[in-house]
Amino acid sequence: MTDALELDALWEDFHRAVNMTSQELAAWLRVSDAAEESEPVPEHAGTPTGQHVLAILQKRRTDLTDDDIEVMYEVVDAVSAQADVENEPEPEETRRRHQLMTLGHDPLRP
């Protein structure tokens, strides 16, 4: 398990990286997973990681599990890696933007 200071820093980093609210992320996961002929059950929409991020957003820091902490590190690393590639993607780079939005980060949001 992560010590308290490291967990505090991770909590802050995660919430800085995830700049979408839980409602926005849930809506995005439903939209991104919808197909022309079907739409998934809302609780099962999106990628497993996107669903896990959504679950973390709905938790208190004291309720985090080791799996939650691992996903939080992955999300912070993924968002940081994308920021290192370029500052912010242009609107037409929708594929990369949509991948980040699945993790709860909208790169077009200030």
Side-chain angles (χ1 to χ4, degrees):
M1 189 74 172
T2 309
D3 70 24
L5 288 176
E6 190 175 344
L7 184 57
D8 288 346
L10 176 61
W11 183 262
E12 293 299 320
D13 291 345
F14 177 79
H15 282 85
R16 196 174 305 113
V18 176
N19 63 2
M20 296 170 68
T21 66
S22 58
Q23 294 86 1
E24 291 169 333
L25 178 56
W28 170 250
L29 293 175
R30 285 191 303 274
V31 167
S32 69
D33 214 20
E36 205 170 293
E37 63 280 345
S38 68
E39 188 171 322
V41 178
E43 303 85 47
H44 301 290
T47 64
T49 303
Q51 284 294 318
H52 203 145
V53 169
L54 183 59
I56 292 169
L57 288 174
Q58 297 168 344
K59 289 185 175 187
R60 296 177 305 188
R61 187 180 332 196
T62 56
D63 296 332
L64 295 174
T65 66
D66 289 340
D67 286 342
D68 295 336
I69 291 169
E70 185 177 319
V71 168
M72 290 170 73
Y73 276 118
E74 290 172 12
V75 168
V76 169
D77 290 346
V79 171
S80 295
Q82 288 298 318
D84 290 342
V85 173
E86 290 181 25
N87 286 339
E88 296 296 332
E90 296 297 321
E92 59 269 6
E93 292 179 336
T94 56
R95 185 170 156 253
R96 186 164 60 128
R97 178 179 180 225
H98 291 174
Q99 289 173 337
L100 288 170
M101 287 175 69
T102 301
L103 299 176
H105 177 77
D106 185 349
L108 298 182
R109 183 172 284 174

